Amino acid sequence: MQILTQPEARTVEVLARLPYFQGLARSELTRIAAGCCQLAARDGEMVVARGDPAECIGIVVSGRFKLVLPLAGGREKVLAFVGRGASFGEAAILAGAPHPASVVAIRDSNLLVIERTALLDELARNPRFCRRVMDSVSRAFIDLVQGTETCHLRSSVDRVVSYLVRHAARSAQAIRELELPARKGEIAANLSMTPETFSRALHDLEREGAIQVRGRHIRLLSQGRFGAALVAVRG
């Protein structure tokens, strides 16, 4: 990883643009910036290894990361994808535990890092920021539960339908478009299936007229397949 050197004022500007820090006063952002640095990670680079001590949290400025558990035979279980404005590491710091999963860049990315002491000090003095961190941890937990539920649905097609709905825009329209957040093989690992099975499920949905696939871009076409589920997500 490469440390990106920049003036503190520039770091404050980066913080102010991230959803994680919306609503905080400039004085609060300046205080947080004093305990921050920005890192650049290459596609495929591991920034946290499972079992590492929790010394900081990471907030994605640009790019995307995956949270993974290593499995036997060189395989991995993808727990989640973390994109711009999302974060990782808070739960480990709050629990005083090591990182439970590895974090790997899946494209060239920039990461804002807040040191453990700076984070805990700000949580102690700033109720608004404390609530923001609690919200982030809670949403990550809910996403993990929903992802686990998806992996235990009956068929591979059902898993893919559920996954697409969770990543579609939160409105009930007959035609929705989304971009897959990672390579198909990584999404397959997230859904506990092989890349071939994931590709076959997409093909089956496209053949029945439910979706249209153009690389990572997918258009949801079938109101019958996705309409009710999109309403549920929106609600």
Side-chain angles (χ1 to χ4, degrees), residues 13 25-26 30 37 48 71 87 89 111 121 127 129-130 135 141-142 169-170 175 178 180 183 190 198-199 206 230 232:
E13 292 175 8
R26 189 168 185 85
T30 300
C37 69
V48 171
L71 302 176
S87 61
L111 186 66
D121 287 348
F129 183 63
C130 185
D135 179 70
F141 174 73
I142 291 171
R170 290 178 176 266
I175 298 177
L178 63 148
L180 296 177
R183 301 174 184 94
N190 181 228
F198 179 70
S199 294
E206 189 168 34
L230 284 169

Side-chain angles (χ1 to χ4, degrees), residues 184-227:
K184 291 178 181 178
E186 291 163 332
I187 294 175
N190 181 228
L191 296 174
S192 298
M193 62 177 64
T194 66
E196 294 77 14
T197 302
F198 179 70
S199 294
R200 188 161 52 248
L202 288 178
H203 178 71
D204 289 345
L205 287 168
E206 189 168 34
R207 186 171 54 189
E208 75 175 58
I211 63 174
Q212 182 181 65
V213 181
R214 294 292 182 271
R216 288 191 183 181
H217 295 274
I218 295 181
R219 175 176 291 183
L220 309 186
L221 301 175
S222 172
Q223 181 71 25
R225 262 292 192 185
F226 300 107

